[in-house]
């Protein structure tokens, strides 16, 4: 096994195997402390996936193969199993103990280098391979060690890409893998489904269609990694600079149903996307549906949510467990008078109107519906009850969390507690309902806050939200996760096409339909009043409804399987 280079190339800290750090970091955000095994790589590539990736990518037993984030060698071993005496595989792994496992597993036809893949790439004078297979780490910007991130982003910049603070580590790994392939070489990667739909990957999508003559995306109806609520895809490519790659999309039921013959027989998708602007999720639309989407994006008959309202994040407390209380907790602590009305979960907002009576029901149920706001007081000016609770929080380390720490010394001052005109769920089950806020409550960052523009009625805005146009575009513009939820960031929500609200459409009536009969009944009424009223044909409305139903069912059913 090769050691790190003698020119100062460091033996670096532990790297996670594919999706492991995602799971660990996600667990940490949910209050679960990840154990060492997870941080070193608790979620490795299933054997069937490893075998398939190697089978597709390695067409010659004398091939030269790269695995730039090899972990304990699962993929590397699958690669060497397909190589003959003249073939060779090279793996790169940050964590030395994992690298030793990989070297032992892969055997004599592999070399494992201990170090950072981007440092390794900078030192290579002949980095051209017949195949590159891998399952890159999923590490968000904030957790991507700076010394590695700087080199990774420099590689992206050299390729004409502009990484941002949203860029995840898997993105530069895809760029590195692409750069390491010879013309005609084959790329075979496991990637998060974010590839298809997140804004920060838009440049990467455009880059890939220029760098590969053929790209195939394999998706799964069932989650690939047990215990990790992250949808994954396989990205298969044949290297060759071109104007636009031939694109193929395949959806398999599960890993066990994946067959090479199915991939080889797949036909190109006839859709010419603007890859810098349009997400790959739109490859799941028919040609006529895609044409309708493009037509409606520019239609003067509709506006956008952002023209009618400002969407902002909810309150970031720094530790909801400390700041969000039930009435009984607030009473026991003597802090009821220091609390604001709050909603923090979708179950607390079942319709299109949050009334005072709805919030009173939450109080009766002793739900977590109060936000502790001790105000701007210094410690000495706090009430006895407030000071006692702050000191309890400090004994339990609440003030050491990042969002609280940056507010020191008065870490208990929760900022930006303004009360919105309406709410929009951040994580959505069916569609992006706007909820009029008659209860004068505020919300945590699980629910976006909506402030209407001058002259816009919050109730009319809420009533208009349940329509097939906005629902369909939310599936196209948002991003879905393995847990079956759709997520919209504020800028994505504001960009959604939206019918012009009509005050004659009663929010009380639409709210009643949503609560008593479900979303589809409400869609029928609003579509007829606002979409038909704006000149859309019944066939166009049916097409929009079909887009929403198909794409939403795709993410929801994945959770249920």
């Amino acid at each position: 096994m090769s050691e790190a280079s003698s020119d100062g190339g460091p033996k670096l800290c532990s790297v996670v195997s594919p999706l492991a750090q995602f799971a660990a970091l996600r667990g940490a955000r949910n209050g679960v402390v990840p154990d060492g095994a997870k941080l070193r790589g608790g979620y490795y590539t299933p054997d069937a996936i490893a075998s398939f990736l190697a089978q597709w990518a390695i067409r010659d037993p004398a091939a030269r193969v790269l695995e730039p984030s090899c972990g304990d060698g699962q993929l590397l071993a699958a690669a060497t199993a397909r190589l003959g005496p003249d073939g060779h595989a090279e793996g790169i792994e940050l964590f030395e103990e994992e690298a030793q496992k990989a070297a032992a597993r892969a055997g004599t036809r592999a070399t494992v280098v201990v170090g950072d893949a981007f440092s390794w790439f900078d030192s290579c004078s002949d980095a051209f391979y017949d195949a590159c297979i891998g399952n890159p780490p999923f590490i968000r910007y904030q957790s991507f060690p700076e010394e590695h991130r700087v080199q990774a982003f420099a590689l992206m910049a050299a390729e004409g890409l502009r990484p941002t603070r949203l860029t995840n580590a898997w993105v530069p790994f895809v760029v590195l893998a692409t750069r390491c392939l010879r013309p005609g070489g084959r790329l075979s990667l496991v990637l998060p489904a974010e590839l298809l739909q997140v804004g920060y990957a838009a440049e990467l999508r455009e880059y890939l269609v220029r760098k590969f003559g053929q790209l195939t995306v394999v998706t799964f109806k069932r989650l690939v990694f047990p215990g990790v609520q992250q949808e994954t895809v396989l990205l298969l490519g044949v290297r060759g600079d071109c104007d636009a790659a031939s694109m193929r999309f395949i959806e398999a039921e599960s890993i066990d149903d994946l067959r090479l013959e199915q991939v080889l027989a797949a036909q190109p998708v006839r859709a010419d996307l603007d890859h810098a602007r349009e997400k790959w999720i739109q490859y799941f639309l028919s040609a006529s549906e895609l044409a309708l989407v493009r037509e409606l994006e520019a239609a003067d008959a509709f506006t956008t949510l952002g023209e009618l309202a400002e969407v902002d994040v909810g309150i970031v407390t720094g530790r909801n467990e400390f700041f969000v209380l039930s009435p009984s907790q607030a009473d026991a602590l003597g802090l009821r008078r220091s609390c604001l009305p709050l909603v923090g979960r979708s179950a607390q907002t079942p319709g299109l109107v949050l009334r005072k009576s709805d919030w009173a029901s939450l109080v009766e149920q002793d739900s977590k519906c109060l936000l502790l706001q001790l105000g701007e007081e210094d410690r000495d000016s706090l009430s006895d009850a407030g000071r006692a609770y702050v000191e309890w929080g400090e004994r339990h380390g609440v003030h050491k969390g990042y969002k609280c720490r940056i507010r020191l010394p008065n870490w208990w001052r929760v900022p930006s507690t303004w009360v919105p005109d309406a709410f929009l769920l951040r994580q959505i089950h069916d569609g992006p309902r706007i909820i009029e806020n008659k209860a004068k409550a505020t919300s945590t960052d699980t629910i976006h806050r909506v402030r209407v523009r001058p002259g816009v009625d919050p109730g009319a805005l809420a009533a208009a939200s349940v329509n097939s146009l906005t629902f369909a575009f939310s599936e196209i513009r948002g991003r879905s996760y393995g847990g079956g939820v759709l997520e919209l960031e504020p800028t994505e929500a504001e960009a959604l096409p939206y019918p012009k609200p009509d005050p004659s459409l009663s929010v009380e009536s639409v709210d009643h339909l949503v609560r008593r009969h479900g979303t589809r009944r409400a869609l029928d009424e609003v579509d007829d009043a606002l979409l038909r009223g704006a000149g859309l044909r019944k066939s166009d409305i049916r097409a929009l409804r079909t887009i929403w139903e198909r794409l939403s069912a795709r993410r929801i059913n994945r959770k249920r399987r």
Side-chain angles (χ1 to χ4, degrees):
M1 179 180 67
S2 298
E3 294 294 326
S5 62
S6 58
D7 60 356
K11 287 187 178 180
L12 302 168
C13 65
S14 170
V15 69
V16 295
S17 69
L19 296 180
Q21 186 152 348
F22 166 78
L25 293 173
R26 178 173 176 173
R29 287 197 299 273
N30 290 333
V32 178
V33 179
D35 60 29
K38 285 185 179 178
L39 288 174
R40 287 194 299 271
Y43 296 94
Y44 292 102
T45 312
D47 288 341
I49 291 288
S51 254
F52 176 84
L53 293 178
Q55 185 183 15
W56 188 87
I58 301 169
R59 315 301 288 175
D60 181 352
R64 188 179 177 208
V65 183
L66 174 68
E67 215 288 46
S69 55
C70 69
D72 72 346
Q74 185 87 355
L75 279 162
L76 205 61
T80 55
R82 293 188 56 81
L83 296 176
D86 296 327
H88 191 77
E90 190 161 8
I92 317 298
E93 170 56 39
L94 276 172
F95 188 57
E96 186 168 9
E97 182 178 341
E98 295 296 279
Q100 290 172 351
K101 294 177 186 176
R105 174 179 280 184
T108 58
R109 292 196 178 100
T111 301
V112 179
V113 176
V114 181
D116 169 49
F118 301 99
S119 300
W120 166 86
F121 179 81
D122 282 346
S123 67
C124 288
S125 58
D126 183 24
F128 291 100
Y129 292 80
D130 301 299
C132 183
I133 65 176
N135 190 341
F138 190 114
I139 307 173
R140 301 196 186 280
Y141 180 96
Q142 297 88 336
S143 303
F144 196 175
E146 184 177 3
E147 63 269 32
H148 313 328
R149 188 181 69 235
V150 167
Q151 287 188 295
F153 284 9
L155 172 60
M156 291 182 66
E159 290 293 289
L161 305 177
R162 295 166 294 178
T164 71
R165 292 179 65 87
L166 296 176
T167 302
N168 197 290
W170 66 265
V171 176
F173 268 94
V174 176
V175 176
L176 182 147
T178 302
R179 283 282 284 109
C180 286
L181 285 172
R182 64 165 178 79
R186 291 188 163 224
L187 182 75
S188 192
L189 300 177
V190 181
L191 295 176
E194 290 191 354
L195 170 70
L196 309 181
Q197 53 195 352
V198 296
Y200 73 73
E203 279 193 336
L204 178 67
R205 293 191 290 267
E206 195 274 335
Y207 174 80
L208 289 169
V209 298
R210 289 188 289 106
K211 295 296 183 182
F212 289 86
Q214 177 182 315
L215 287 169
T216 300
V217 177
V218 181
T219 65
F220 298 93
K221 293 181 180 178
R222 301 181 191 175
L223 295 177
V224 171
F225 289 81
V228 181
Q229 292 298 306
Q230 172 68 25
E231 183 187 351
T232 54
V233 302
L234 307 185
L235 178 67
L236 313 173
V238 180
R239 185 76 164 84
D241 293 351
C242 62
D243 291 333
S246 170
M247 301 289 300
R248 292 163 172 81
F249 278 76
I250 297 167
E251 186 163 53
E253 183 71 23
S254 68
I255 296 172
D256 296 334
D257 298 310
L258 189 59
R259 299 288 182 272
L260 182 63
E261 296 77 17
Q262 179 188 13
V263 174
L264 296 177
Q267 296 301 306
V269 178
R270 305 297 181 187
D272 183 18
L273 295 190
D274 178 354
H275 297 281
R277 183 181 66 87
E278 296 177 309
K279 299 181 179 183
W280 281 2
I281 196 72
Q282 288 175 243
Y283 275 116
F284 291 97
L285 305 183
S286 68
S288 61
E289 289 171 340
L290 183 58
L292 176 63
V293 164
R294 288 172 171 169
E295 177 186 346
L296 294 177
E297 283 178 318
D300 292 334
F302 303 107
T303 182
T304 64
L305 178 55
E307 291 294 320
L308 301 168
E310 176 188 355
V311 181
D312 202 350
V313 296
I315 296 167
V316 180
T317 66
R319 183 68 70 86
N320 284 350
E321 295 90 340
F322 179 86
F323 289 101
V324 178
L325 304 173
S326 67
S328 63
Q329 288 174 324
D331 289 339
L333 293 166
L335 294 172
R336 185 70 172 266
R337 291 187 177 183
S338 299
C339 292
L340 303 174
L342 178 83
V343 288
R345 297 187 297 114
S346 60
Q348 297 175 336
T349 57
L352 296 182
V353 182
L354 181 72
R355 301 174 181 85
K356 289 182 179 179
S357 59
D358 293 319
W359 189 78
S361 295
L362 298 178
V363 173
E364 290 175 6
Q365 297 161 17
D366 202 33
S367 297
K368 296 269 191 174
C369 61
L370 295 171
L371 174 72
L372 178 65
Q373 176 56 295
L374 294 173
E376 298 298 314
E377 288 86 355
D378 292 333
R379 184 183 298 264
D380 292 341
S381 300
L382 293 172
S383 67
D384 290 344
R387 187 162 51 253
Y389 190 48
V390 164
E391 290 171 354
W392 179 90
E394 289 171 342
R395 289 196 298 273
H396 289 81
V398 175
H399 63 302
K400 296 179 181 179
Y402 175 71
K403 292 295 183 181
C404 293
R405 192 170 68 245
I406 62 177
R407 301 199 297 257
L408 287 171
N410 298 339
W411 59 269
W412 54 86
R413 294 180 178 175
V414 178
S416 186
T417 57
W418 55 273
V419 173
D421 300 312
F423 302 107
L424 169 64
L425 299 182
R426 178 180 176 183
Q427 294 187 329
I428 297 161
H429 174 70
D430 52 7
R433 292 179 291 114
I434 300 288
I435 301 126
E436 185 182 9
N437 181 21
K438 289 186 176 180
K440 303 304 178 186
T442 189
S443 65
T444 62
D445 59 352
T446 57
I447 299 177
H448 293 321
R449 292 178 289 180
V450 177
R451 182 185 282 135
V452 298
R453 306 289 184 190
V456 177
D457 177 72
L461 182 75
S465 69
V466 187
N467 70 86
S468 293
L469 171 75
T470 305
F471 274 33
F473 273 88
S474 71
E475 298 291 340
I476 294 168
R477 297 277 179 80
R479 73 283 305 274
S480 64
Y481 294 100
V485 299
L486 175 73
E487 184 167 309
L488 286 168
E489 294 301 331
T491 54
E492 293 167 335
E494 289 180 351
L496 292 175
Y498 212 86
K500 295 172 183 176
D502 183 349
S504 68
L505 180 65
S506 166
V507 68
E508 299 294 335
S509 171
V510 183
D511 175 67
H512 176 81
L513 286 174
V514 169
R515 289 178 186 244
R516 296 293 181 87
H517 303 290
T519 300
R520 282 172 172 77
R521 281 283 300 277
L523 281 170
D524 290 338
E525 180 166 319
V526 179
D527 286 350
D528 188 59
L530 300 185
L531 301 189
R532 287 280 288 165
L536 271 190
R537 297 168 296 185
K538 286 185 178 180
S539 59
D540 292 336
I541 296 173
R542 281 198 302 270
L544 289 170
R545 184 78 65 89
T546 298
I547 291 171
W548 167 66
E549 289 175 340
R550 186 168 66 250
L551 295 183
S552 63
R554 181 176 176 272
R555 60 178 171 81
I556 292 169
N557 289 340
R558 183 171 286 104
K559 176 185 179 181
R560 292 174 179 166
R561 292 175 184 274

